Amino acid sequence: MRIASFFRRGADYCWAWGCWPGPASAQGPAPAMANPQVFKPKYIKSTLLRVTRWQLAHPRHAPTDWTNGAFYAGVFAAYQTTHSKLILDSLLALGERTKWQPGPRYDHADDIAICQTYLNLYRLKKDRRMLQPTLDVVEKFRNQPGPEVQNHGIAWWWCDALFMGPPVLAKLGVIQNDPSYFTLTDTLYRQTYRLLFNHQEHLFARDASYLVNAAGEGKKESNGQKIFWSRGNGWVMGGLVQILSELPAGHPSRPFYTQLFQEMSARLVELQQSDGLWRSSLLDPAAYPGGEASGSGFDCYALAWGFNHGLLTGPQFRPAVEKAWVALNGLVSAEGRVGWVQPIGADPRRDFSAESWEVYGTGAFLLAGSEVIKLK
């Protein structure tokens, strides 16, 4: 078997591993074929470095934008995996460039997502400059109700916020040894859960505009199913990993997050498609045939973490992770660009291709690789 070859993906050439899966089409990426190389630590590290370098060389948004909150979470995970000085230097340069400040809206979860990276770096360097702005904005947030609560009734009114905000508060709870941050996280998280979680489908609606009432009225997909967005639920899964990684073992809220994580994980494995990826709309995959990298990347990351930490013990979980990782590698171009990423939006879309990339798609891929490398 040839160890390295290229295969045609529309107008793009992507790296393959001794296989020729055939051309992509407008229907989605060609299915990747399994090769043991993609699970070898040396391969994973080199891929994480290649992907990180490409994305750092192709910035797209303001450094404190929510998109970069997700991207740099992945970059930090790539640093932990590779111990690359280049990656660490880029992370420190980010903080110096932003003066360790969050985005401008103190009460909007999107604008503190970047603080996850600041706090991770603070743990490495113990430099108070890296910590204080996050402490200040969270203190203001919990003492001064802002426009988000005034306009929506709750602070975290969309499911993506469950990746943006809770990890920051949970990390502060550990760093400051202050359980009040855990209490705040739990209060706000459960408000979102009560509003958006569907107990029949075990998934989150993106926001209240996607809820269907008791009479069956509301937004639905072409097949009549309710709309559950892949990336939105991927954000939730990634956030649950971060919360469970921080929350003390004996904390009274830990069983709630563990149960939710296991419940969603089991459902997502059922919704994984045969090519290893998830579709933009989880319950109407036929209408969205292109496998989508950002939701799939977060799902792969979360499932791998759950398997590695003994929370996902069923026989279906490891094969799901392996299929997803093989498929995700098939979305990476030779130069390191993660393609097939749905653009910014609040719902499932069809407007993406091999050339479609976004920094959060890269972040999801890096997070996934950082956990897949730990599979035993």
Side-chain angles (χ1 to χ4, degrees), residues 193-194 196-203 228 256 260 263:
Y193 173 82
R194 287 192 293 270
L196 300 180
F197 188 69
N198 184 293
H199 291 272
Q200 289 71 47
E201 295 296 343
H202 316 288
L203 299 168
F228 292 102
F256 165 76
L260 179 60
E263 186 177 343

Side-chain angles (χ1 to χ4, degrees), residues 208 210-220 226:
Y210 290 91
L211 298 176
V212 174
N213 65 22
E217 300 167 335
K219 297 176 184 176
K220 294 183 181 179
K226 297 172 183 176

Side-chain angles (χ1 to χ4, degrees), residues 116-265:
Q116 295 181 37
T117 298
Y118 299 159
L119 296 179
N120 288 335
L121 291 168
Y122 170 77
R123 284 170 157 166
L124 288 180
K125 299 297 184 179
K126 297 295 189 274
D127 184 341
R128 190 77 182 182
R129 295 181 308 126
M130 302 174 176
L131 173 64
Q132 194 60 51
T134 300
L135 287 172
D136 293 343
V137 75
V138 171
E139 189 64 19
K140 183 177 181 180
F141 169 63
R142 65 175 170 182
N143 288 303
Q144 298 182 32
E148 299 309 314
V149 172
Q150 293 167 12
N151 294 334
H152 300 280
I154 61 175
W156 296 340
W157 52 268
W158 71 114
C159 71
D160 318 31
L162 300 182
F163 174 82
M164 313 301 178
V168 174
L169 301 184
K171 289 175 189 292
L172 285 178
V174 175
I175 290 170
Q176 296 293 94
N177 192 25
D178 183 347
S180 70
Y181 290 104
F182 300 136
T183 302
L184 178 60
T185 304
D186 200 44
T187 298
L188 299 178
Y189 197 107
R190 290 179 191 247
Q191 290 174 353
T192 309
Y193 173 82
R194 287 192 293 270
L195 178 65
L196 300 180
F197 188 69
N198 184 293
H199 291 272
Q200 289 71 47
E201 295 296 343
H202 316 288
L203 299 168
F204 278 82
R206 192 271 176 179
D207 58 56
S209 72
Y210 290 91
L211 298 176
V212 174
N213 65 22
E217 300 167 335
K219 297 176 184 176
K220 294 183 181 179
E221 288 289 6
S222 58
N223 65 354
Q225 293 287 339
K226 297 172 183 176
I227 299 174
F228 292 102
W229 185 28
S230 175
R231 185 161 71 234
N233 281 276
W235 290 121
V236 175
M237 291 294 288
L240 283 168
V241 169
Q242 297 294 317
I243 293 169
L244 289 167
S245 297
E246 302 289 347
L247 205 60
H251 194 277
S253 289
R254 192 172 182 87
F256 165 76
Y257 295 106
T258 300
Q259 167 63 28
L260 179 60
F261 178 78
Q262 292 171 329
E263 186 177 343
M264 291 186 68
S265 296

Side-chain angles (χ1 to χ4, degrees), residues 1 17 52 78 81 87 149 166 180-181 195 209-210 214 238-239 241 269 284 301 307 312 317 340 350 364 368:
M1 180 174 70
W17 315 279
T52 302
T81 303
I87 293 180
V149 172
S180 70
Y181 290 104
L195 178 65
S209 72
Y210 290 91
V241 169
V269 169
D284 192 13
Y301 163 59
F307 178 84
L312 303 178
F317 292 110
W340 293 99
R350 298 177 178 84

Side-chain angles (χ1 to χ4, degrees), residues 53-64:
R53 288 191 185 107
W54 188 90
Q55 193 63 78
L56 288 171
H58 297 82
R60 180 170 269 180
H61 305 282
T64 60

Side-chain angles (χ1 to χ4, degrees), residues 6 12-16 50-51 54 331-337:
F6 287 100
D12 192 28
Y13 281 93
C14 293
W15 193 252
R50 179 164 55 97
V51 166
W54 188 90
L331 308 184
V332 180
S333 70
E335 66 270 28
R337 184 192 67 218

